[in-house]
Amino acid sequence: MTEQLQQARDDLEEAAKSADSDDVREDIRETTDAFADYVMSDTAPDHAILDERLNTLRQVRERADGDTEDKVESAIETVEDYRENIDQA
């Protein structure tokens, strides 16, 4: 399942490259870094952590446009799919 988080991270890296705003880019990079930590560690994020990350991405999506918005949307869909497959605490 870490492949899904890696895919979301890849989408977010592309989104950060195309972001027009420093604020949007910063929020994207913060989430990208968190996903990198999840991919590289043995600890998977739980529902609450993913909810927080998804909320951040949804807010970013509202402020983004063009390719950035598309890549953020793709990352959101990937993380939502991943979230459905983890056990809820």
Side-chain angles (χ1 to χ4, degrees), residues 60-80:
V60 166
R61 179 183 58 196
E62 295 300 317
R63 299 186 334 250
D65 58 11
D67 289 341
T68 304
E69 182 180 10
D70 293 343
K71 288 296 185 180
V72 170
E73 179 63 32
S74 178
I76 289 170
E77 290 173 5
T78 302
V79 174
E80 286 174 341

Side-chain angles (χ1 to χ4, degrees), residues 36-53:
D37 291 344
Y38 304 147
V39 168
M40 292 183 212
S41 77
D42 292 332
T43 305
D46 62 20
H47 276 257
I49 290 171
L50 287 177
D51 284 345
E52 184 178 320
R53 297 295 175 197

Side-chain angles (χ1 to χ4, degrees), residues 10-60:
D10 292 346
D11 285 338
L12 292 172
E13 285 180 345
E14 290 300 314
K17 290 177 188 175
S18 64
D20 292 334
S21 159
D22 287 340
D23 289 342
V24 168
R25 192 174 301 108
E26 185 177 318
D27 286 346
I28 292 171
R29 287 199 174 125
E30 179 183 314
T31 305
T32 302
D33 291 345
F35 287 163
D37 291 344
Y38 304 147
V39 168
M40 292 183 212
S41 77
D42 292 332
T43 305
D46 62 20
H47 276 257
I49 290 171
L50 287 177
D51 284 345
E52 184 178 320
R53 297 295 175 197
L54 283 167
N55 285 336
T56 298
L57 291 177
R58 288 180 186 116
Q59 291 172 8
V60 166

